[in-house]
Amino acid sequence: MSEPVTILVVDDEPPIRRFLRTTLEAQGYRVIEAETGAAAIVDGLGSKPDVIILDLGLPDMNGLEVIAAIRATSGVPIIVLSIRDEERGKVEALDLGADDYVTKPFGMAELIARIRAALRHRFQVQGELPAFASGDLSVDLVRRRVALGGEEVKLSPKEYEILKLLVIHAGKVLTHRQILRQVWGPAQENDVQYLRVFVRQLRQKLEPDPARPAHILTEPGVGYRLNAP
Amino acid sequence: MGALKRPASGYDTSISHPASGTAHMARSMRSAAALIRKLSDLMRLRTNGAGFPARSAVPGPGFLAPERDTISLLPYIASIVFVVAALLVGLVLQRFLQVTNVSLVFLVAVLTSALTGGLGPSLFASLLSVLAFNFFFLPPLYTFTIAEAENIVALIVFAVVAMLTSELAARVRRQAVVARRQQNTTAALYAFSRKLAGIGNLDDLLWATAYQIASMLRVRVVLLLSDGKDIRVRVGYPPEDQLSELDLAAAHHAWQNRRPAGRGTDALPLFVPLLTDRNAIGVVGVRCEGSGRTLDLDERSLLDALADQAAIAIERINLATAIEEARVDAETERLRAALLISISHDLRTPLASILGAATSLRSYGRAYDDAAREDLLATLHEEAERLNRYVGNLLDMTRLESGAVALKRSPVDLQEVIETALRRTGPVLERHRVEVQVAPNLPILDLDYLLLEQVLVNLLDNAAKYTQAGTLVRITARREEDLVAIDIADEGPGIPAGDLDRIFDKFYRVHDEDRRRAGTGLGLAICRGFMHAMGGRLTVQNRQDRCGAVFTVTLPVEASFTHGMKPDE
């Protein structure tokens, strides 16, 4: 990519915008800032950033409304900054079209990982199925081969579908509903318990210590995330 | 013979000096009737039946028996019996023992009649005796002739004896009745006093008092208590009684002037202030049922005695309440002060490190090598995380204290909660060994994910803080019938036996000689509070197999989420 990746940072707190700008620019990104929801929508649609980092607690409007407004016409990845204990806000944001979230206070490394994951999916060439490798786990979506430490692992069809979805969105959170809808269809999108059982089976097969998974991580109250390097 | 005297009330409560002779005689007849009733009860004579009027319909133990106005026939019949008996004895004495002066035998009949029947029957008996004596013993025999002065003398003597004896007997009876009544009153007052002593609650006390007064005196009662500025009705017996404006004014008058007001009739209730040596704490109002009835002197003094007892008991409860409130206030103050000190310390300590490290880097950073810079930055990072945890603890504690723990229930997989709790405490447990054993097929529980996660995080945090690096922290989750238990076991020094219960108190920290472990002292209190909110329990024990502590979280398995598991498609 010749053009630097542009990130729109939306937060009403100057110190937060400051340290984000410093860090992101040092990472090679170009940063534009917005302080309010209205400005976010204008910049989000006008300046065509590659990623939007959006604080949910804006002074003039609900962050969820910003997401809805942007999603109406643009698929730009949105990462929301939420406050801890605000479970509902996160899930709603994701349901409205946000791609991921970090909880304040957050570590910078975590945010960078989210940004990369969001961009990875964005810049994927349509139709190209990525190969994934992280730690012991390697997944080849073309050949439909999953291996743990070099040894092939046999997965049931549904298990594979779930893993495939996670791999395609490696590093990004997927809500229960998103997974259920993709793998089973819209009719099943509320059968969270059902999904849990399958994820548990997956972990049994893929995780050296299923109780402390290193690959398929639980996002409490939200869904799952495949840990990506 | 003093009945209970009330100081400065101006009422003469003695009853042995009545006003007039007629009243006296009427009184004695009434008392006699009452005594006969009691005596006949004692002698187990059947008294239900003709001659005795029905008991009054007013409820209560009828301590002061209603006085009868009708004159019953039984004592007169008894007199006849006595005289006839005396006659027979006299005849026998005369016939077989040649006793000539048998009049004394009739005296016995008159005396007996006076003792048991009172004045009327005894006069009747004396008349009968004279006639009998005249008829059977005085010549000419079998006639009613009063021939000599002897007879008249005998008649007069008998009559005088009859009157004196019956008066004496009546007096004794009266005194016996009074003594009996007083004994009953005293016993009832004593019982009331004991009952009051056992009541610790003001409402119960007022109710008991109202009921006691109503039943002992057969009146309608209302109790008003002062709240410092005014008095208002607190309880009444019967409960539906209302006080009119006028009555309230009278009550107020009684309270303010600390003197009784009113009369106690149906139309105009009597209000007696409840006095302690400090002030008037209320007023008791009584209203007699039935037109025209008021309380007699006995009843007044009884009312005064009951009022005194009630006043003392009420004041006792008021004082006890005041003491308790003062104690609670002092305790609240203490906790508040401790809280402020603790918060201040626990927030400022990491801040001190953060500011220290940051300003050090800013002011002198140029001179530092990578290692020094990295060290300071690590301190910045760690202390900021610590501050974050403390703030979280404080918020949790505030939520618990203010009752704002709103549970957000959802189906929770215990394995996932343990997973995320371990992720959050990853950095803290970095230098420990961690082992996880989750039993398969644990039921999915319906509870608040974040609350349970926080409990586990706090427990894991403790395990890391209070045990040595390199030791093992083991988490197990298992099912026990209708409970699910999560154990967190460490290999630290364990908890001193005496502290096992107290470690869940706010701000409690086990004292460590080595160095004081940092911490708000709130972690376990929060855990317990959250567990309680979820309907579960948190307990701690020292390990049996080696030294170390085991914290156990138990949760009930209520609605299990069993899903129809379709075979893998």
Side-chain angles (χ1 to χ4, degrees):
Chain A
M1 295 250 110
S2 49
E3 258 184 49
V5 174
T6 306
I7 302 184
L8 168 61
V9 170
V10 186
D11 198 308
D12 60 321
E13 287 281 326
I16 295 189
R17 291 201 306 273
R18 210 162 100 199
F19 83 77
L20 282 177
R21 174 184 282 280
T22 309
T23 317
L24 293 173
E25 282 180 348
Q27 295 278 313
Y29 300 108
R30 182 175 148 250
V31 175
I32 49 181
E33 293 177 23
E35 272 188 72
T36 63
I41 297 173
V42 166
D43 287 343
L45 297 174
S47 313
K48 304 227 181 292
D50 298 296
V51 179
I52 300 179
I53 297 174
L54 172 66
D55 176 32
L56 283 183
L58 292 170
D60 63 329
M61 52 193 301
N62 193 336
L64 300 174
E65 291 170 40
V66 176
I67 298 173
I70 293 176
R71 273 287 170 268
T73 50
S74 163
V76 59
I78 300 175
I79 299 172
V80 300
L81 304 179
S82 71
I83 321 169
R84 190 177 146 69
D85 297 336
E86 258 228 321
E87 287 303 317
R88 296 203 55 80
K90 284 192 290 210
V91 178
E92 274 181 65
L94 292 169
D95 283 342
L96 278 173
D99 293 71
D100 215 328
Y101 66 91
V102 280
T103 314
K104 286 198 234 185
F106 57 85
M108 202 61 219
E110 201 186 333
L111 178 59
I112 299 286
R114 301 279 189 269
I115 294 171
R116 285 218 194 92
L119 289 171
R120 186 181 303 139
H121 189 64
R122 170 97 177 190
F123 290 128
Q124 232 159 261
V125 175
Q126 280 296 353
E128 175 190 316
L129 297 172
F132 175 84
S134 167
D136 273 3
L137 179 66
S138 64
V139 180
D140 186 342
L141 292 177
V142 174
R143 296 195 199 87
R144 299 177 71 91
R145 192 172 177 276
V146 178
L148 192 63
E151 289 204 23
E152 182 158 3
V153 178
K154 274 268 163 269
L155 298 178
S156 76
K158 281 287 180 277
E159 287 168 1
Y160 179 79
E161 286 300 310
I162 297 171
L163 184 59
K164 173 175 164 189
L165 190 62
L166 288 170
V167 165
I168 290 173
H169 297 271
K172 239 179 65 163
V173 69
L174 289 172
T175 64
H176 300 299
R177 195 188 292 184
Q178 282 168 339
I179 302 174
L180 284 163
R181 202 184 306 163
Q182 275 290 103
V183 175
W184 278 276
Q188 312 274 57
E189 70 180 22
N190 288 317
D191 276 346
V192 178
Q193 193 37 37
Y194 201 40
L195 173 59
R196 269 208 192 93
V197 171
F198 278 92
V199 168
R200 203 189 271 204
Q201 281 165 216
L202 256 180
R203 279 174 172 155
Q204 284 293 126
K205 294 184 180 174
L206 298 179
E207 302 282 357
D209 186 357
R212 298 187 80 184
H215 301 296
I216 302 176
L217 306 177
T218 304
E219 292 290 333
V222 177
Y224 299 101
R225 183 197 305 277
L226 183 64
N227 200 6
Chain B
M1 244 262 19
L4 300 141
K5 273 205 179 346
R6 193 143 200 253
S9 70
Y11 285 96
D12 176 7
T13 53
S14 155
I15 63 158
S16 50
H17 307 292
S20 70
T22 352
H24 164 103
M25 205 177 303
R27 262 184 170 278
S28 60
M29 293 193 102
R30 281 202 296 276
S31 313
L35 185 61
I36 286 193
R37 195 177 53 75
K38 285 199 190 332
L39 284 175
S40 45
D41 285 342
L42 281 173
M43 292 188 282
R44 295 187 183 280
L45 287 177
R46 299 196 140 263
T47 57
N48 307 331
F52 278 82
R55 290 187 70 148
S56 158
V58 173
F63 168 77
L64 294 177
E67 312 218 297
R68 298 182 215 295
D69 297 317
T70 57
I71 298 181
S72 60
L73 287 179
L74 186 59
Y76 292 91
I77 296 170
S79 302
I80 296 174
V81 170
F82 295 144
V83 172
V84 166
L87 174 64
L88 291 174
V89 169
L91 286 174
V92 164
L93 283 177
Q94 194 190 52
R95 216 76 21 181
F96 296 109
L97 297 178
Q98 267 76 49
V99 174
T100 47
N101 194 359
V102 296
S103 55
L104 291 172
V105 182
F106 287 100
L107 210 54
V108 173
V110 169
L111 275 169
T112 313
S113 205
L115 278 173
T116 60
L119 186 60
S122 66
L123 287 177
F124 182 58
S126 49
L127 183 63
L128 278 183
S129 298
V130 166
L131 289 175
F133 186 55
N134 189 327
F135 195 79
F136 288 98
F137 295 101
L138 284 188
L141 290 181
Y142 308 114
T143 64
F144 279 118
T145 327
I146 302 183
E148 295 149 21
E150 253 186 37
N151 296 355
I152 300 177
V153 166
L155 180 61
I156 293 173
V157 166
F158 281 170
V160 168
V161 164
M163 283 196 299
L164 285 176
T165 315
S166 53
E167 171 55 25
L168 208 64
R171 207 178 284 185
V172 168
R173 258 198 314 279
R174 269 202 306 277
Q175 288 176 343
V177 164
V178 166
R180 186 77 184 278
R181 195 188 299 173
Q182 284 187 329
Q183 183 193 13
N184 284 351
T185 307
T186 308
L189 283 175
Y190 177 60
F192 182 50
S193 174
R194 286 186 67 188
K195 186 163 143 189
L196 284 187
I199 298 179
N201 172 297
L202 186 60
D203 285 329
D204 289 344
L205 183 78
L206 296 175
W207 168 253
T209 304
Y211 181 73
Q212 187 81 9
I213 296 177
S215 55
M216 273 179 102
L217 296 175
R218 290 165 304 119
V219 293
R220 298 161 86 91
V221 177
V222 68
L223 275 170
L224 304 94
L225 280 194
S226 114
D227 57 10
K229 291 183 289 238
D230 199 357
I231 53 168
R232 59 182 187 89
V233 178
R234 291 294 297 268
V235 81
Y237 190 87
E240 51 284 345
D241 261 10
Q242 301 284 347
L243 277 188
S244 69
E245 287 288 321
L246 209 59
D247 294 340
L248 266 173
H252 205 263
H253 185 84
W255 172 62
Q256 281 209 308
N257 300 352
R258 302 157 65 106
R259 289 177 58 82
R263 286 193 55 213
T265 59
D266 200 17
L268 190 62
L270 170 69
F271 290 102
V272 172
L274 297 168
L275 296 176
T276 64
D277 54 328
R278 302 202 295 157
N279 44 29
I281 58 171
V283 171
V284 56
V286 300
R287 186 205 297 272
C288 295
E289 285 170 323
S291 59
R293 180 182 159 230
T294 59
L295 297 178
D296 62 27
L297 295 171
D298 278 347
E299 290 167 325
R300 269 309 302 277
S301 63
L302 183 57
L303 176 62
D304 290 338
L306 289 168
D308 273 343
Q309 280 188 309
I312 291 171
I314 291 171
E315 178 147 80
R316 168 178 64 83
I317 288 191
N318 285 345
L319 284 173
T321 309
I323 289 174
E324 182 61 20
E325 277 171 11
R327 196 189 64 77
V328 166
D329 283 344
E331 183 66 17
T332 310
E333 267 317 300
R334 188 191 73 79
L335 273 180
R336 203 171 285 157
L339 181 65
L340 282 175
I341 291 172
S342 180
I343 292 175
S344 174
H345 172 271
D346 293 332
L347 289 180
R348 296 233 149 101
T349 307
L351 275 173
S353 308
I354 291 168
L355 281 173
T359 51
S360 167
L361 282 165
R362 288 190 83 189
S363 305
Y364 309 108
R366 246 174 299 267
Y368 296 153
D369 64 2
D370 283 343
R373 193 171 299 125
E374 177 54 37
D375 189 55
L376 286 169
L377 288 169
T379 301
L380 258 178
H381 188 180
E382 283 158 20
E383 290 302 280
E385 293 279 21
R386 196 169 128 195
L387 188 55
N388 194 12
R389 271 203 303 281
Y390 287 173
V391 169
N393 273 357
L394 282 177
L395 289 173
D396 284 342
M397 204 66 226
T398 309
R399 279 168 70 198
L400 275 172
E401 294 282 286
S402 66
V405 182
L407 289 181
K408 273 186 308 206
R409 288 185 183 272
S410 65
V412 167
D413 183 344
L414 288 177
Q415 188 149 330
E416 289 189 351
V417 187
I418 294 174
E419 171 209 331
T420 53
L422 279 171
R423 264 219 323 266
R424 273 177 65 192
T425 50
V428 178
L429 283 168
E430 216 169 26
R431 289 176 306 158
H432 283 75
R433 290 182 294 130
V434 176
E435 227 177 70
V436 183
Q437 283 165 21
V438 178
N441 304 321
L442 282 178
I444 301 296
L445 298 180
D446 183 33
L447 43 81
D448 189 314
Y449 189 106
L450 287 181
L451 286 189
L452 182 57
E453 197 200 48
Q454 190 62 46
V455 170
L456 296 179
V457 162
N458 284 1
L459 292 175
L460 288 168
D461 210 40
N462 274 1
K465 251 186 341 221
Y466 290 96
T467 66
Q468 278 196 317
T471 56
L472 176 67
V473 174
R474 195 172 70 229
I475 305 124
T476 47
R478 60 199 156 84
R479 172 141 191 194
E480 270 177 17
E481 292 182 5
D482 59 343
L483 291 174
V484 167
I486 304 175
D487 294 315
I488 296 179
D490 63 54
E491 291 179 343
I495 317 280
D499 292 341
L500 276 174
D501 241 345
R502 291 160 60 196
I503 52 172
F504 295 108
D505 291 344
K506 279 194 293 227
F507 303 116
Y508 188 86
R509 270 178 266 214
V510 174
H511 291 295
D512 193 324
E513 292 85 25
D514 295 350
R515 57 171 197 271
R516 192 169 171 279
R517 308 294 168 137
T520 54
L522 291 175
L524 287 175
I526 291 169
C527 288
R528 199 164 241 196
F530 281 175
M531 284 314 301
H532 183 75
M534 284 191 284
R537 286 184 65 213
L538 173 60
T539 53
V540 64
Q541 275 180 327
N542 283 317
R543 290 173 71 158
Q544 309 285 352
D545 53 339
R546 50 159 298 141
C547 70
V550 181
F551 285 83
T552 306
V553 167
T554 44
L555 290 157
V557 178
E558 290 171 285
S560 252
F561 290 80
T562 47
H563 190 96
M565 311 238 285
K566 297 182 211 144
D568 201 346
E569 292 143 278

